[in-house]
């Protein structure tokens, strides 16, 4: 949905106090899908989306598997601190 990244993120997936992971808040808000624009690409195309962009995909009706990968890029400038409770952590902490 064009421009939806400007709404910000309303839900956080993080490490829970007692182990495991949790969503905060537990229940997701219904995200707007009106104004969604199809993005058709050729097979093998890499598509990168801003983490706050509302996006969706319909059921894969082909016999072929559809793969999705999540790439996390984190700003590393002076004064930037990676959240210790973020679900994604390096096994031995920051390098």
């Amino acid at each position: 949905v064009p421009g939806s990244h400007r709404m910000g993120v309303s839900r956080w997936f993080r490490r829970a106090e007692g182990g495991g992971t949790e969503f905060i808040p537990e229940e997701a808000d219904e995200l707007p899908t009106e104004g969604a624009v199809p993005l058709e690409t050729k097979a093998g195309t890499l598509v990168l989306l801003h983490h706050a962009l509302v996006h969706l995909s319909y059921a894969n009706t082909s016999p072929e598997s559809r793969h999705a990968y999540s790439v996390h890029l984190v700003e590393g400038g002076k004064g930037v601190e990676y959240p210790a409770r973020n679900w994604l952590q390096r096994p031995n902490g920051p390098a």
Side-chain angles (χ1 to χ4, degrees):
V1 178
S4 60
H5 64 287
R6 294 187 196 100
M7 296 185 316
V9 176
S10 61
R11 198 166 184 219
W12 187 26
F13 189 55
R14 69 178 192 182
R15 291 185 177 222
E17 289 285 341
T21 54
E22 64 186 352
F23 278 107
I24 302 297
E26 285 186 30
E27 297 299 321
D29 293 334
E30 187 167 331
L31 298 172
T33 56
E34 57 276 352
V37 177
L39 178 63
E40 295 186 30
T41 63
K42 293 180 182 178
T45 299
L46 172 67
V47 176
L48 297 175
L49 304 172
H50 186 278
H51 73 283
L53 183 73
V54 175
H55 57 283
L56 65 142
S57 116
Y58 295 105
N60 181 7
T61 58
S62 81
E64 301 298 321
S65 178
R66 177 170 54 193
H67 301 286
Y69 300 92
S70 181
V71 177
H72 296 257
L73 303 174
V74 180
E75 183 178 354
K78 185 176 182 178
V80 175
E81 196 169 314
Y82 190 79
R85 296 215 35 212
N86 191 302
W87 75 275
L88 186 61
Q89 297 288 331
R90 291 181 177 171
N92 299 317

